[in-house]
Amino acid sequence: MSELTQNVSRRAAAGDPVALTRALVAIPSVNPVLEDGGAGEKAIAQQCRVWLEAWGFRVRVEEVAPDRFNVIALHRSPSSGASLILNGHLDTVGVQDMASPPFGGEVLDGKVWGRGACDMKGGLALILATARALAHEGHVGELTVALTADEEHASVGMQEFVKGVQ
């Protein structure tokens, strides 16, 4: 692992949103329904699990369709209060014909480049950074992080998550 990769990994584990975005972009999660050979959500779900568990969340990774995964993480405060759900999706569209390296996660001109940087790995990074901050700085009630599969096609991950909430 290069020094740059180690630095990004260390900063991501500390909840830095730019480093989280870069780390997430580097993990292929192309929806396999949209592109042959797409990796799906397994690897990115496992990495999110590692971070969330390190930040004190109780985490489960659920297979919601064959080889398609959600991450559901829960952090309860000792103080009662309202519940908050932070939700985003783990899959991306395909990488065919991309002009830049799809999984580079490089920062150029102040922007992170790669598949999913805008939809939705940058958003996932903000969800994760917020979840970490709330877990460490305190919140009331119950905080749920729901990272779901397959938004780019049929939203099977969100459908399964909603079934569990009802």
Side-chain angles (χ1 to χ4, degrees), residues 1 5 9 18 36 38 46 50 69 76 88 100 105 110 132 138 142 146 157:
M1 183 182 294
T5 304
S9 294
V18 174
D36 286 340
Q46 292 301 332
V50 167
F69 297 89
R76 286 199 172 103
S100 62
R132 183 192 180 278
E142 186 173 274

Side-chain angles (χ1 to χ4, degrees), residues 3 20 48 59-60 71 94 118 127 131 133 141 146 153 162:
E3 186 176 324
L20 283 162
C48 290
V59 184
R60 66 185 190 274
V71 178
C118 292
I127 287 168
H153 176 67
V162 170

Side-chain angles (χ1 to χ4, degrees), residues 118-161:
C118 292
D119 180 17
M120 122 155 255
K121 293 181 178 184
L124 289 174
L126 292 176
I127 287 168
L128 291 166
T130 299
R132 183 192 180 278
L134 288 171
H136 281 82
E137 296 170 18
H139 63 89
V140 296
E142 186 173 274
L143 172 61
T144 301
V145 176
L147 308 178
T148 57
D150 192 48
E151 184 275 344
E152 298 294 353
H153 176 67
S155 296
V156 296
M158 181 51 83
Q159 292 175 42
E160 287 300 311
F161 174 68

Side-chain angles (χ1 to χ4, degrees), residues 5-157:
T5 304
Q6 288 176 348
N7 186 40
V8 169
S9 294
R10 202 171 28 256
R11 289 178 33 229
D16 176 85
V18 174
L20 283 162
T21 302
R22 294 181 71 189
L24 291 166
V25 166
I27 302 169
S29 60
V30 173
N31 189 312
V33 174
L34 301 180
E35 187 169 277
D36 286 340
E41 301 85 4
K42 187 174 187 174
I44 196 168
Q46 292 301 332
Q47 179 58 64
C48 290
R49 172 187 218 153
V50 167
W51 288 324
L52 288 158
E53 285 178 344
W55 300 335
F57 284 78
R58 194 174 76 235
V59 184
R60 66 185 190 274
V61 175
E62 304 172 334
E63 188 170 22
V64 296
D67 217 27
R68 309 300 300 278
F69 297 89
N70 281 355
V71 178
I72 309 300
L74 179 64
H75 192 275
R76 286 199 172 103
S77 165
S79 305
S80 63
S83 295
L84 174 64
I85 298 173
L86 301 175
N87 169 246
H89 65 90
L90 296 168
D91 62 319
T92 67
V93 296
V95 298
Q96 188 174 358
D97 299 326
M98 282 189 67
S100 62
F103 309 115
E106 298 302 320
V107 177
L108 301 169
D109 298 323
K111 299 173 187 150
V112 177
W113 289 83
R115 176 53 74 216
C118 292
D119 180 17
M120 122 155 255
K121 293 181 178 184
L124 289 174
L126 292 176
I127 287 168
L128 291 166
T130 299
R132 183 192 180 278
L134 288 171
H136 281 82
E137 296 170 18
H139 63 89
V140 296
E142 186 173 274
L143 172 61
T144 301
V145 176
L147 308 178
T148 57
D150 192 48
E151 184 275 344
E152 298 294 353
H153 176 67
S155 296
V156 296

